[in-house]
PDB file of all heavy atoms in Angstrom:
ATOM      1  N   ILE A   1       7.303 200.743  -1.092  1.00 90.00           N
ATOM      2  CA  ILE A   1       5.917 200.350  -0.897  1.00 90.00           C
ATOM      3  C   ILE A   1       5.057 200.825  -2.051  1.00 90.00           C
ATOM      4  O   ILE A   1       4.285 200.084  -2.601  1.00 90.00           O
ATOM      5  CB  ILE A   1       5.377 200.937   0.452  1.00 90.00           C
ATOM      6  CG1 ILE A   1       6.100 200.317   1.624  1.00 90.00           C
ATOM      7  CG2 ILE A   1       3.873 200.727   0.590  1.00 90.00           C
ATOM      8  CD1 ILE A   1       5.788 200.955   2.962  1.00 90.00           C
ATOM      9  N   VAL A   2       5.228 202.114  -2.444  1.00 90.00           N
ATOM     10  CA  VAL A   2       4.373 202.650  -3.537  1.00 90.00           C
ATOM     11  C   VAL A   2       4.618 201.961  -4.862  1.00 90.00           C
ATOM     12  O   VAL A   2       3.666 201.530  -5.520  1.00 90.00           O
ATOM     13  CB  VAL A   2       4.643 204.179  -3.682  1.00 90.00           C
ATOM     14  CG1 VAL A   2       3.960 204.701  -4.967  1.00 90.00           C
ATOM     15  CG2 VAL A   2       4.126 204.913  -2.483  1.00 90.00           C
ATOM     16  N   VAL A   3       5.886 201.759  -5.226  1.00 90.00           N
ATOM     17  CA  VAL A   3       6.192 201.097  -6.459  1.00 90.00           C
ATOM     18  C   VAL A   3       5.721 199.659  -6.457  1.00 90.00           C
ATOM     19  O   VAL A   3       5.212 199.183  -7.431  1.00 90.00           O
ATOM     20  CB  VAL A   3       7.752 201.196  -6.751  1.00 90.00           C
ATOM     21  CG1 VAL A   3       8.061 200.353  -7.956  1.00 90.00           C
ATOM     22  CG2 VAL A   3       8.125 202.634  -6.943  1.00 90.00           C
ATOM     23  N   SER A   4       5.878 198.987  -5.315  1.00 91.00           N
ATOM     24  CA  SER A   4       5.493 197.592  -5.237  1.00 91.00           C
ATOM     25  C   SER A   4       3.987 197.437  -5.366  1.00 91.00           C
ATOM     26  O   SER A   4       3.502 196.570  -6.089  1.00 91.00           O
ATOM     27  CB  SER A   4       5.932 196.991  -3.918  1.00 91.00           C
ATOM     28  OG  SER A   4       7.341 197.017  -3.766  1.00 91.00           O
ATOM     29  N   LEU A   5       3.232 198.364  -4.705  1.00 93.00           N
ATOM     30  CA  LEU A   5       1.739 198.291  -4.813  1.00 93.00           C
ATOM     31  C   LEU A   5       1.312 198.555  -6.223  1.00 93.00           C
ATOM     32  O   LEU A   5       0.440 197.861  -6.731  1.00 93.00           O
ATOM     33  CB  LEU A   5       1.138 199.281  -3.830  1.00 93.00           C
ATOM     34  CG  LEU A   5       1.182 198.961  -2.310  1.00 93.00           C
ATOM     35  CD1 LEU A   5       0.671 200.083  -1.498  1.00 93.00           C
ATOM     36  CD2 LEU A   5       0.400 197.682  -2.039  1.00 93.00           C
ATOM     37  N   VAL A   6       1.863 199.584  -6.822  1.00 92.00           N
ATOM     38  CA  VAL A   6       1.487 199.877  -8.184  1.00 92.00           C
ATOM     39  C   VAL A   6       1.793 198.746  -9.126  1.00 92.00           C
ATOM     40  O   VAL A   6       0.999 198.331 -10.000  1.00 92.00           O
ATOM     41  CB  VAL A   6       2.141 201.171  -8.713  1.00 92.00           C
ATOM     42  CG1 VAL A   6       1.902 201.362 -10.160  1.00 92.00           C
ATOM     43  CG2 VAL A   6       1.621 202.363  -7.921  1.00 92.00           C
ATOM     44  N   ASP A   7       2.995 198.137  -8.941  1.00 91.00           N
ATOM     45  CA  ASP A   7       3.460 197.016  -9.739  1.00 91.00           C
ATOM     46  C   ASP A   7       2.557 195.844  -9.629  1.00 91.00           C
ATOM     47  O   ASP A   7       2.345 195.088 -10.573  1.00 91.00           O
ATOM     48  CB  ASP A   7       4.884 196.627  -9.353  1.00 91.00           C
ATOM     49  CG  ASP A   7       5.801 196.488 -10.537  1.00 91.00           C
ATOM     50  OD1 ASP A   7       5.443 195.800 -11.479  1.00 91.00           O
ATOM     51  OD2 ASP A   7       6.895 197.161 -10.567  1.00 91.00           O
ATOM     52  N   GLY A   8       1.988 195.554  -8.428  1.00 92.00           N
ATOM     53  CA  GLY A   8       1.160 194.420  -8.215  1.00 92.00           C
ATOM     54  C   GLY A   8      -0.281 194.651  -8.540  1.00 92.00           C
ATOM     55  O   GLY A   8      -0.966 193.806  -9.112  1.00 92.00           O
ATOM     56  N   LEU A   9      -0.792 195.842  -8.147  1.00 94.00           N
ATOM     57  CA  LEU A   9      -2.219 196.098  -8.321  1.00 94.00           C
ATOM     58  C   LEU A   9      -2.612 196.370  -9.781  1.00 94.00           C
ATOM     59  O   LEU A   9      -3.683 196.090 -10.192  1.00 94.00           O
ATOM     60  CB  LEU A   9      -2.661 197.222  -7.429  1.00 94.00           C
ATOM     61  CG  LEU A   9      -2.673 196.938  -5.922  1.00 94.00           C
ATOM     62  CD1 LEU A   9      -3.011 198.196  -5.148  1.00 94.00           C
ATOM     63  CD2 LEU A   9      -3.608 195.832  -5.609  1.00 94.00           C
ATOM     64  N   SER A  10      -1.702 197.046 -10.527  1.00 94.00           N
ATOM     65  CA  SER A  10      -2.057 197.399 -11.891  1.00 94.00           C
ATOM     66  C   SER A  10      -2.398 196.227 -12.785  1.00 94.00           C
ATOM     67  O   SER A  10      -3.408 196.257 -13.518  1.00 94.00           O
ATOM     68  CB  SER A  10      -0.972 198.328 -12.512  1.00 94.00           C
ATOM     69  OG  SER A  10       0.262 197.741 -12.433  1.00 94.00           O
ATOM     70  N   PRO A  11      -1.581 195.150 -12.793  1.00 93.00           N
ATOM     71  CA  PRO A  11      -1.949 194.016 -13.656  1.00 93.00           C
ATOM     72  C   PRO A  11      -3.187 193.245 -13.080  1.00 93.00           C
ATOM     73  O   PRO A  11      -3.986 192.682 -13.836  1.00 93.00           O
ATOM     74  CB  PRO A  11      -0.753 193.133 -13.640  1.00 93.00           C
ATOM     75  CG  PRO A  11       0.001 193.477 -12.366  1.00 93.00           C
ATOM     76  CD  PRO A  11      -0.289 194.912 -12.174  1.00 93.00           C
ATOM     77  N   LEU A  12      -3.239 193.238 -11.743  1.00 95.00           N
ATOM     78  CA  LEU A  12      -4.388 192.559 -11.106  1.00 95.00           C
ATOM     79  C   LEU A  12      -5.717 193.165 -11.497  1.00 95.00           C
ATOM     80  O   LEU A  12      -6.652 192.501 -11.939  1.00 95.00           O
ATOM     81  CB  LEU A  12      -4.231 192.534  -9.585  1.00 95.00           C
ATOM     82  CG  LEU A  12      -5.387 192.036  -8.750  1.00 95.00           C
ATOM     83  CD1 LEU A  12      -5.592 190.569  -8.965  1.00 95.00           C
ATOM     84  CD2 LEU A  12      -5.195 192.284  -7.272  1.00 95.00           C
ATOM     85  N   ILE A  13      -5.772 194.505 -11.361  1.00 95.00           N
ATOM     86  CA  ILE A  13      -7.021 195.215 -11.592  1.00 95.00           C
ATOM     87  C   ILE A  13      -7.353 195.227 -13.057  1.00 95.00           C
ATOM     88  O   ILE A  13      -8.481 195.011 -13.469  1.00 95.00           O
ATOM     89  CB  ILE A  13      -6.938 196.661 -11.100  1.00 95.00           C
ATOM     90  CG1 ILE A  13      -6.864 196.630  -9.553  1.00 95.00           C
ATOM     91  CG2 ILE A  13      -8.140 197.498 -11.558  1.00 95.00           C
ATOM     92  CD1 ILE A  13      -6.596 197.970  -8.906  1.00 95.00           C
ATOM     93  N   SER A  14      -6.350 195.499 -13.944  1.00 94.00           N
ATOM     94  CA  SER A  14      -6.582 195.590 -15.397  1.00 94.00           C
ATOM     95  C   SER A  14      -7.052 194.263 -15.941  1.00 94.00           C
ATOM     96  O   SER A  14      -7.959 194.178 -16.838  1.00 94.00           O
ATOM     97  CB  SER A  14      -5.346 196.063 -16.093  1.00 94.00           C
ATOM     98  OG  SER A  14      -4.258 195.120 -16.004  1.00 94.00           O
ATOM     99  N   SER A  15      -6.494 193.152 -15.452  1.00 95.00           N
ATOM    100  CA  SER A  15      -6.908 191.832 -15.923  1.00 95.00           C
ATOM    101  C   SER A  15      -8.314 191.478 -15.440  1.00 95.00           C
ATOM    102  O   SER A  15      -9.078 190.860 -16.200  1.00 95.00           O
ATOM    103  CB  SER A  15      -5.928 190.765 -15.467  1.00 95.00           C
ATOM    104  OG  SER A  15      -5.815 190.727 -14.035  1.00 95.00           O
ATOM    105  N   LEU A  16      -8.620 191.919 -14.244  1.00 95.00           N
ATOM    106  CA  LEU A  16     -10.002 191.611 -13.711  1.00 95.00           C
ATOM    107  C   LEU A  16     -11.058 192.421 -14.492  1.00 95.00           C
ATOM    108  O   LEU A  16     -12.190 191.981 -14.701  1.00 95.00           O
ATOM    109  CB  LEU A  16     -10.110 191.968 -12.234  1.00 95.00           C
ATOM    110  CG  LEU A  16      -9.370 191.029 -11.301  1.00 95.00           C
ATOM    111  CD1 LEU A  16      -9.473 191.522  -9.814  1.00 95.00           C
ATOM    112  CD2 LEU A  16      -9.948 189.595 -11.373  1.00 95.00           C
ATOM    113  N   ILE A  17     -10.682 193.616 -14.948  1.00 95.00           N
ATOM    114  CA  ILE A  17     -11.624 194.439 -15.762  1.00 95.00           C
ATOM    115  C   ILE A  17     -12.060 193.690 -17.004  1.00 95.00           C
ATOM    116  O   ILE A  17     -13.186 193.677 -17.397  1.00 95.00           O
ATOM    117  CB  ILE A  17     -10.991 195.792 -16.104  1.00 95.00           C
ATOM    118  CG1 ILE A  17     -10.876 196.670 -14.863  1.00 95.00           C
ATOM    119  CG2 ILE A  17     -11.787 196.516 -17.192  1.00 95.00           C
ATOM    120  CD1 ILE A  17     -10.156 197.976 -15.045  1.00 95.00           C
ATOM    121  N   VAL A  18     -11.051 192.993 -17.623  1.00 96.00           N
ATOM    122  CA  VAL A  18     -11.325 192.249 -18.867  1.00 96.00           C
ATOM    123  C   VAL A  18     -12.321 191.118 -18.594  1.00 96.00           C
ATOM    124  O   VAL A  18     -13.129 190.765 -19.460  1.00 96.00           O
ATOM    125  CB  VAL A  18     -10.035 191.692 -19.458  1.00 96.00           C
ATOM    126  CG1 VAL A  18     -10.295 190.870 -20.697  1.00 96.00           C
ATOM    127  CG2 VAL A  18      -9.057 192.853 -19.811  1.00 96.00           C
ATOM    128  N   LEU A  19     -12.333 190.620 -17.362  1.00 95.00           N
ATOM    129  CA  LEU A  19     -13.240 189.518 -16.997  1.00 95.00           C
ATOM    130  C   LEU A  19     -14.676 189.966 -16.721  1.00 95.00           C
ATOM    131  O   LEU A  19     -15.585 189.113 -16.644  1.00 95.00           O
ATOM    132  CB  LEU A  19     -12.697 188.797 -15.768  1.00 95.00           C
ATOM    133  CG  LEU A  19     -11.628 187.728 -15.908  1.00 95.00           C
ATOM    134  CD1 LEU A  19     -11.294 187.160 -14.513  1.00 95.00           C
ATOM    135  CD2 LEU A  19     -12.062 186.610 -16.805  1.00 95.00           C
ATOM    136  N   THR A  20     -14.887 191.271 -16.581  1.00 95.00           N
ATOM    137  CA  THR A  20     -16.179 191.808 -16.126  1.00 95.00           C
ATOM    138  C   THR A  20     -17.403 191.218 -16.896  1.00 95.00           C
ATOM    139  O   THR A  20     -18.386 190.877 -16.213  1.00 95.00           O
ATOM    140  CB  THR A  20     -16.162 193.349 -16.251  1.00 95.00           C
ATOM    141  OG1 THR A  20     -15.100 193.875 -15.480  1.00 95.00           O
ATOM    142  CG2 THR A  20     -17.482 193.900 -15.726  1.00 95.00           C
ATOM    143  N   PRO A  21     -17.388 191.115 -18.208  1.00 95.00           N
ATOM    144  CA  PRO A  21     -18.595 190.622 -18.867  1.00 95.00           C
ATOM    145  C   PRO A  21     -19.014 189.247 -18.403  1.00 95.00           C
ATOM    146  O   PRO A  21     -20.226 188.904 -18.484  1.00 95.00           O
ATOM    147  CB  PRO A  21     -18.188 190.593 -20.350  1.00 95.00           C
ATOM    148  CG  PRO A  21     -17.125 191.606 -20.445  1.00 95.00           C
ATOM    149  CD  PRO A  21     -16.395 191.580 -19.171  1.00 95.00           C
ATOM    150  N   PHE A  22     -18.086 188.421 -17.912  1.00 95.00           N
ATOM    151  CA  PHE A  22     -18.437 187.057 -17.489  1.00 95.00           C
ATOM    152  C   PHE A  22     -19.217 187.044 -16.150  1.00 95.00           C
ATOM    153  O   PHE A  22     -19.944 186.124 -15.847  1.00 95.00           O
ATOM    154  CB  PHE A  22     -17.218 186.161 -17.388  1.00 95.00           C
ATOM    155  CG  PHE A  22     -16.596 185.955 -18.747  1.00 95.00           C
ATOM    156  CD1 PHE A  22     -15.525 186.692 -19.205  1.00 95.00           C
ATOM    157  CD2 PHE A  22     -17.092 184.954 -19.635  1.00 95.00           C
ATOM    158  CE1 PHE A  22     -14.945 186.504 -20.446  1.00 95.00           C
ATOM    159  CE2 PHE A  22     -16.558 184.791 -20.877  1.00 95.00           C
ATOM    160  CZ  PHE A  22     -15.480 185.500 -21.285  1.00 95.00           C
ATOM    161  N   PHE A  23     -19.029 188.129 -15.348  1.00 94.00           N
ATOM    162  CA  PHE A  23     -19.820 188.206 -14.090  1.00 94.00           C
ATOM    163  C   PHE A  23     -21.301 188.479 -14.387  1.00 94.00           C
ATOM    164  O   PHE A  23     -22.123 188.300 -13.531  1.00 94.00           O
ATOM    165  CB  PHE A  23     -19.248 189.321 -13.255  1.00 94.00           C
ATOM    166  CG  PHE A  23     -17.837 188.988 -12.662  1.00 94.00           C
ATOM    167  CD1 PHE A  23     -16.742 189.455 -13.245  1.00 94.00           C
ATOM    168  CD2 PHE A  23     -17.755 188.226 -11.488  1.00 94.00           C
ATOM    169  CE1 PHE A  23     -15.475 189.143 -12.726  1.00 94.00           C
ATOM    170  CE2 PHE A  23     -16.542 187.927 -10.958  1.00 94.00           C
ATOM    171  CZ  PHE A  23     -15.371 188.377 -11.565  1.00 94.00           C
ATOM    172  N   PHE A  24     -21.573 188.960 -15.617  1.00 93.00           N
ATOM    173  CA  PHE A  24     -22.959 189.267 -15.975  1.00 93.00           C
ATOM    174  C   PHE A  24     -23.455 188.274 -17.055  1.00 93.00           C
ATOM    175  O   PHE A  24     -24.398 188.586 -17.783  1.00 93.00           O
ATOM    176  CB  PHE A  24     -23.084 190.713 -16.493  1.00 93.00           C
ATOM    177  CG  PHE A  24     -22.610 191.720 -15.523  1.00 93.00           C
ATOM    178  CD1 PHE A  24     -21.284 192.265 -15.553  1.00 93.00           C
ATOM    179  CD2 PHE A  24     -23.463 192.169 -14.533  1.00 93.00           C
ATOM    180  CE1 PHE A  24     -20.907 193.179 -14.588  1.00 93.00           C
ATOM    181  CE2 PHE A  24     -23.047 193.131 -13.620  1.00 93.00           C
ATOM    182  CZ  PHE A  24     -21.764 193.661 -13.617  1.00 93.00           C
ATOM    183  N   ALA A  25     -22.760 187.175 -17.155  1.00 91.00           N
ATOM    184  CA  ALA A  25     -23.099 186.228 -18.226  1.00 91.00           C
ATOM    185  C   ALA A  25     -24.572 185.705 -18.042  1.00 91.00           C
ATOM    186  O   ALA A  25     -25.213 185.469 -19.076  1.00 91.00           O
ATOM    187  CB  ALA A  25     -22.119 184.982 -18.151  1.00 91.00           C
ATOM    188  N   SER A  26     -25.012 185.515 -16.842  1.00 89.00           N
ATOM    189  CA  SER A  26     -26.389 185.023 -16.650  1.00 89.00           C
ATOM    190  C   SER A  26     -27.412 186.055 -17.141  1.00 89.00           C
ATOM    191  O   SER A  26     -28.500 185.715 -17.653  1.00 89.00           O
ATOM    192  CB  SER A  26     -26.638 184.724 -15.184  1.00 89.00           C
ATOM    193  OG  SER A  26     -26.444 185.885 -14.396  1.00 89.00           O
ATOM    194  N   LEU A  27     -27.080 187.326 -17.013  1.00 90.00           N
ATOM    195  CA  LEU A  27     -27.950 188.415 -17.514  1.00 90.00           C
ATOM    196  C   LEU A  27     -27.857 188.546 -19.066  1.00 90.00           C
ATOM    197  O   LEU A  27     -28.890 188.799 -19.698  1.00 90.00           O
ATOM    198  CB  LEU A  27     -27.617 189.724 -16.871  1.00 90.00           C
ATOM    199  CG  LEU A  27     -27.792 189.811 -15.340  1.00 90.00           C
ATOM    200  CD1 LEU A  27     -27.314 191.142 -14.818  1.00 90.00           C
ATOM    201  CD2 LEU A  27     -29.265 189.598 -14.948  1.00 90.00           C
ATOM    202  N   ILE A  28     -26.622 188.323 -19.529  1.00 86.00           N
ATOM    203  CA  ILE A  28     -26.425 188.469 -21.019  1.00 86.00           C
ATOM    204  C   ILE A  28     -27.103 187.341 -21.747  1.00 86.00           C
ATOM    205  O   ILE A  28     -27.691 187.490 -22.786  1.00 86.00           O
ATOM    206  CB  ILE A  28     -24.893 188.498 -21.311  1.00 86.00           C
ATOM    207  CG1 ILE A  28     -24.274 189.775 -20.734  1.00 86.00           C
ATOM    208  CG2 ILE A  28     -24.685 188.451 -22.788  1.00 86.00           C
ATOM    209  CD1 ILE A  28     -22.781 189.824 -20.819  1.00 86.00           C
ATOM    210  N   GLY A  29     -26.974 186.128 -21.173  1.00 86.00           N
ATOM    211  CA  GLY A  29     -27.688 184.938 -21.705  1.00 86.00           C
ATOM    212  C   GLY A  29     -26.888 184.095 -22.717  1.00 86.00           C
ATOM    213  O   GLY A  29     -27.176 182.955 -22.861  1.00 86.00           O
ATOM    214  N   ASP A  30     -25.952 184.735 -23.370  1.00 91.00           N
ATOM    215  CA  ASP A  30     -25.168 183.966 -24.363  1.00 91.00           C
ATOM    216  C   ASP A  30     -23.672 184.133 -24.048  1.00 91.00           C
ATOM    217  O   ASP A  30     -23.142 185.240 -24.026  1.00 91.00           O
ATOM    218  CB  ASP A  30     -25.467 184.524 -25.770  1.00 91.00           C
ATOM    219  CG  ASP A  30     -24.794 183.658 -26.888  1.00 91.00           C
ATOM    220  OD1 ASP A  30     -23.925 182.861 -26.554  1.00 91.00           O
ATOM    221  OD2 ASP A  30     -25.208 183.855 -28.070  1.00 91.00           O
ATOM    222  N   ILE A  31     -22.991 183.023 -23.773  1.00 94.00           N
ATOM    223  CA  ILE A  31     -21.581 183.068 -23.405  1.00 94.00           C
ATOM    224  C   ILE A  31     -20.711 183.617 -24.470  1.00 94.00           C
ATOM    225  O   ILE A  31     -19.701 184.314 -24.155  1.00 94.00           O
ATOM    226  CB  ILE A  31     -21.097 181.647 -22.984  1.00 94.00           C
ATOM    227  CG1 ILE A  31     -19.714 181.719 -22.296  1.00 94.00           C
ATOM    228  CG2 ILE A  31     -21.033 180.730 -24.195  1.00 94.00           C
ATOM    229  CD1 ILE A  31     -19.725 182.406 -20.970  1.00 94.00           C
ATOM    230  N   VAL A  32     -21.103 183.485 -25.717  1.00 94.00           N
ATOM    231  CA  VAL A  32     -20.356 184.022 -26.832  1.00 94.00           C
ATOM    232  C   VAL A  32     -20.363 185.551 -26.803  1.00 94.00           C
ATOM    233  O   VAL A  32     -19.332 186.206 -27.039  1.00 94.00           O
ATOM    234  CB  VAL A  32     -20.913 183.525 -28.224  1.00 94.00           C
ATOM    235  CG1 VAL A  32     -20.157 184.283 -29.357  1.00 94.00           C
ATOM    236  CG2 VAL A  32     -20.772 182.032 -28.351  1.00 94.00           C
ATOM    237  N   VAL A  33     -21.485 186.112 -26.410  1.00 95.00           N
ATOM    238  CA  VAL A  33     -21.540 187.600 -26.242  1.00 95.00           C
ATOM    239  C   VAL A  33     -20.625 188.004 -25.134  1.00 95.00           C
ATOM    240  O   VAL A  33     -19.951 189.082 -25.271  1.00 95.00           O
ATOM    241  CB  VAL A  33     -23.019 187.997 -25.917  1.00 95.00           C
ATOM    242  CG1 VAL A  33     -23.068 189.521 -25.697  1.00 95.00           C
ATOM    243  CG2 VAL A  33     -23.944 187.648 -27.102  1.00 95.00           C
ATOM    244  N   SER A  34     -20.495 187.271 -24.066  1.00 95.00           N
ATOM    245  CA  SER A  34     -19.585 187.578 -22.975  1.00 95.00           C
ATOM    246  C   SER A  34     -18.150 187.568 -23.470  1.00 95.00           C
ATOM    247  O   SER A  34     -17.346 188.433 -23.114  1.00 95.00           O
ATOM    248  CB  SER A  34     -19.733 186.620 -21.821  1.00 95.00           C
ATOM    249  OG  SER A  34     -21.031 186.729 -21.237  1.00 95.00           O
ATOM    250  N   TYR A  35     -17.810 186.547 -24.263  1.00 96.00           N
ATOM    251  CA  TYR A  35     -16.433 186.465 -24.824  1.00 96.00           C
ATOM    252  C   TYR A  35     -16.129 187.673 -25.709  1.00 96.00           C
ATOM    253  O   TYR A  35     -15.093 188.332 -25.583  1.00 96.00           O
ATOM    254  CB  TYR A  35     -16.333 185.192 -25.676  1.00 96.00           C
ATOM    255  CG  TYR A  35     -15.978 183.928 -24.852  1.00 96.00           C
ATOM    256  CD1 TYR A  35     -16.874 182.853 -24.821  1.00 96.00           C
ATOM    257  CD2 TYR A  35     -14.771 183.876 -24.214  1.00 96.00           C
ATOM    258  CE1 TYR A  35     -16.525 181.728 -24.120  1.00 96.00           C
ATOM    259  CE2 TYR A  35     -14.479 182.726 -23.478  1.00 96.00           C
ATOM    260  CZ  TYR A  35     -15.325 181.674 -23.418  1.00 96.00           C
ATOM    261  OH  TYR A  35     -14.996 180.519 -22.689  1.00 96.00           O
ATOM    262  N   VAL A  36     -17.117 188.011 -26.589  1.00 95.00           N
ATOM    263  CA  VAL A  36     -16.908 189.168 -27.499  1.00 95.00           C
ATOM    264  C   VAL A  36     -16.784 190.464 -26.701  1.00 95.00           C
ATOM    265  O   VAL A  36     -15.909 191.285 -26.987  1.00 95.00           O
ATOM    266  CB  VAL A  36     -18.059 189.273 -28.530  1.00 95.00           C
ATOM    267  CG1 VAL A  36     -17.901 190.508 -29.366  1.00 95.00           C
ATOM    268  CG2 VAL A  36     -18.010 188.003 -29.458  1.00 95.00           C
ATOM    269  N   ALA A  37     -17.673 190.651 -25.762  1.00 96.00           N
ATOM    270  CA  ALA A  37     -17.661 191.808 -24.881  1.00 96.00           C
ATOM    271  C   ALA A  37     -16.334 191.954 -24.144  1.00 96.00           C
ATOM    272  O   ALA A  37     -15.795 193.086 -23.955  1.00 96.00           O
ATOM    273  CB  ALA A  37     -18.843 191.837 -23.937  1.00 96.00           C
ATOM    274  N   SER A  38     -15.844 190.809 -23.670  1.00 96.00           N
ATOM    275  CA  SER A  38     -14.553 190.803 -22.912  1.00 96.00           C
ATOM    276  C   SER A  38     -13.415 191.251 -23.794  1.00 96.00           C
ATOM    277  O   SER A  38     -12.574 192.095 -23.413  1.00 96.00           O
ATOM    278  CB  SER A  38     -14.248 189.362 -22.411  1.00 96.00           C
ATOM    279  OG  SER A  38     -13.043 189.348 -21.766  1.00 96.00           O
ATOM    280  N   MET A  39     -13.370 190.767 -25.056  1.00 96.00           N
ATOM    281  CA  MET A  39     -12.327 191.194 -25.993  1.00 96.00           C
ATOM    282  C   MET A  39     -12.452 192.670 -26.370  1.00 96.00           C
ATOM    283  O   MET A  39     -11.438 193.388 -26.529  1.00 96.00           O
ATOM    284  CB  MET A  39     -12.316 190.359 -27.229  1.00 96.00           C
ATOM    285  CG  MET A  39     -11.911 188.851 -26.990  1.00 96.00           C
ATOM    286  SD  MET A  39     -10.252 188.678 -26.267  1.00 96.00           S
ATOM    287  CE  MET A  39     -10.622 188.626 -24.480  1.00 96.00           C
ATOM    288  N   ALA A  40     -13.693 193.126 -26.535  1.00 96.00           N
ATOM    289  CA  ALA A  40     -13.932 194.523 -26.854  1.00 96.00           C
ATOM    290  C   ALA A  40     -13.458 195.387 -25.699  1.00 96.00           C
ATOM    291  O   ALA A  40     -12.807 196.441 -25.905  1.00 96.00           O
ATOM    292  CB  ALA A  40     -15.395 194.760 -27.160  1.00 96.00           C
ATOM    293  N   LEU A  41     -13.745 194.961 -24.479  1.00 96.00           N
ATOM    294  CA  LEU A  41     -13.356 195.732 -23.272  1.00 96.00           C
ATOM    295  C   LEU A  41     -11.862 195.752 -23.154  1.00 96.00           C
ATOM    296  O   LEU A  41     -11.281 196.791 -22.790  1.00 96.00           O
ATOM    297  CB  LEU A  41     -13.994 195.082 -22.032  1.00 96.00           C
ATOM    298  CG  LEU A  41     -13.836 195.823 -20.713  1.00 96.00           C
ATOM    299  CD1 LEU A  41     -14.378 197.265 -20.839  1.00 96.00           C
ATOM    300  CD2 LEU A  41     -14.584 195.076 -19.601  1.00 96.00           C
ATOM    301  N   ALA A  42     -11.198 194.670 -23.484  1.00 96.00           N
ATOM    302  CA  ALA A  42      -9.749 194.579 -23.446  1.00 96.00           C
ATOM    303  C   ALA A  42      -9.147 195.590 -24.415  1.00 96.00           C
ATOM    304  O   ALA A  42      -8.200 196.310 -24.082  1.00 96.00           O
ATOM    305  CB  ALA A  42      -9.261 193.213 -23.818  1.00 96.00           C
ATOM    306  N   LEU A  43      -9.679 195.695 -25.605  1.00 96.00           N
ATOM    307  CA  LEU A  43      -9.199 196.691 -26.608  1.00 96.00           C
ATOM    308  C   LEU A  43      -9.431 198.138 -26.109  1.00 96.00           C
ATOM    309  O   LEU A  43      -8.554 198.995 -26.324  1.00 96.00           O
ATOM    310  CB  LEU A  43      -9.905 196.479 -27.955  1.00 96.00           C
ATOM    311  CG  LEU A  43      -9.552 195.106 -28.632  1.00 96.00           C
ATOM    312  CD1 LEU A  43     -10.305 194.982 -29.946  1.00 96.00           C
ATOM    313  CD2 LEU A  43      -8.013 194.995 -28.899  1.00 96.00           C
ATOM    314  N   VAL A  44     -10.561 198.355 -25.486  1.00 96.00           N
ATOM    315  CA  VAL A  44     -10.848 199.700 -24.942  1.00 96.00           C
ATOM    316  C   VAL A  44      -9.823 200.016 -23.838  1.00 96.00           C
ATOM    317  O   VAL A  44      -9.299 201.147 -23.768  1.00 96.00           O
ATOM    318  CB  VAL A  44     -12.281 199.775 -24.348  1.00 96.00           C
ATOM    319  CG1 VAL A  44     -12.470 201.022 -23.538  1.00 96.00           C
ATOM    320  CG2 VAL A  44     -13.288 199.677 -25.482  1.00 96.00           C
TER     321      VAL A  44
END
């Protein structure tokens, strides 16, 4: 159970983190900034 949960949740959560800037795209105002922020977050 533990190994399966870690195996499934780790890629799910890490990939969703990279998407985070797009959830705030309306506040950011420029979709290009969201793309750049997403890639920067991925590198972090």
Side-chain angles (χ1 to χ4, degrees):
I1 293 171
V2 170
V3 172
S4 299
L5 286 175
V6 172
D7 229 308
L9 291 176
S10 53
L12 173 65
I13 294 173
S14 64
S15 58
L16 287 176
I17 289 174
V18 178
L19 278 180
T20 302
F22 294 97
F23 289 97
F24 301 96
S26 59
L27 297 176
I28 295 174
D30 187 346
I31 191 67
V32 173
V33 175
S34 294
Y35 276 117
V36 173
S38 177
M39 292 301 95
L41 188 55
L43 294 178
V44 169

